[in-house]
Amino acid sequence: MAIIVDKVQKRKDIALASKELFVKNSLKDLSVSKIAENAGVSKGSIYDYFTNKEDIVFELLHIMLLEYDKRKEKKLAEVKTTKERVKVFAEFFYSDETEELREIYKDFISINLTTPNEEMTKFQTECVTRYFTWMCEIIQEGIDKGEIIPESINIAKGLFALGEGMFISSNITYTIDNLKKELDQNIDAIFSLIEVKQ
């Protein structure tokens, strides 16, 4: 009897088996042969499930983001103030918990900037839209609770972009020594302007 392979699960298994390689090595330094060897499959099998090594990065990011979002949602529910929730949202860009995810994310951004394809661009657009919507919900809840002024909704997109912009800047320049400190200071300054004064 023929063995039935769950292609979706096999794709995930290969991507997850490759995670450590992608975290510890530059994408350009990895060969499909090395990835196949690490995943315990033949080079030909890699091409049964992926177009190229960039496609593996894409799959890996997708898997890891779904897991991270579940943890972030739980953590957001544990903090009380809107400012603290925004800070939790920004933790992605500097916390030890997300170090591996950030390495994969950097590869994904690099691929998307240098050789974009429709599927990756669509995925990135969906992620940005989801996180922007999530930030808007956090800000709207703060407005509804009377913590911050109603006009705060107009800066939700800016708050969302602040973390990513500073993250990218900290990775390509020497202008940010301590990303957590910089983000916290910026968020504190913004909230000093939008918090409802008691």
Side-chain angles (χ1 to χ4, degrees), residues 26 82 88 93 108 115 129 167:
S26 166
T82 303
V88 165
F93 299 109
F108 177 78
T115 53
T129 301
F167 167 70

Side-chain angles (χ1 to χ4, degrees), residues 184-196:
D184 282 350
Q185 286 175 341
N186 276 266
I187 292 167
D188 287 342
I190 290 166
F191 271 80
S192 74
L193 300 172
I194 65 172
E195 283 177 318
V196 171

Side-chain angles (χ1 to χ4, degrees), residues 75-111:
K75 197 166 186 181
L76 283 168
E78 294 171 354
V79 293
K80 302 292 182 218
T81 69
T82 303
K83 180 167 59 172
E84 289 306 312
R85 294 181 86 206
V86 170
K87 287 182 177 183
V88 165
F89 208 87
E91 284 179 1
F92 168 83
F93 299 109
Y94 60 79
S95 78
D96 291 342
E97 175 191 2
T98 58
E99 186 174 359
E100 290 181 342
L101 178 54
R102 283 194 310 273
E103 289 302 315
I104 302 300
Y105 183 59
K106 286 191 279 188
D107 279 340
F108 177 78
I109 289 173
S110 174
I111 295 163

Side-chain angles (χ1 to χ4, degrees), residues 82-83 86 132 135-144 146-160 190-197:
T82 303
K83 180 167 59 172
V86 170
F132 171 57
M135 181 61 75
C136 285
E137 290 169 359
I138 290 170
I139 296 300
Q140 188 60 56
E141 287 173 20
I143 292 167
D144 294 344
E147 289 181 30
I148 52 179
I149 61 174
E151 295 80 8
S152 302
I153 198 66
N154 298 322
I155 63 166
K157 196 170 199 172
L159 279 169
F160 166 74
I190 290 166
F191 271 80
S192 74
L193 300 172
I194 65 172
E195 283 177 318
V196 171
K197 308 301 183 225

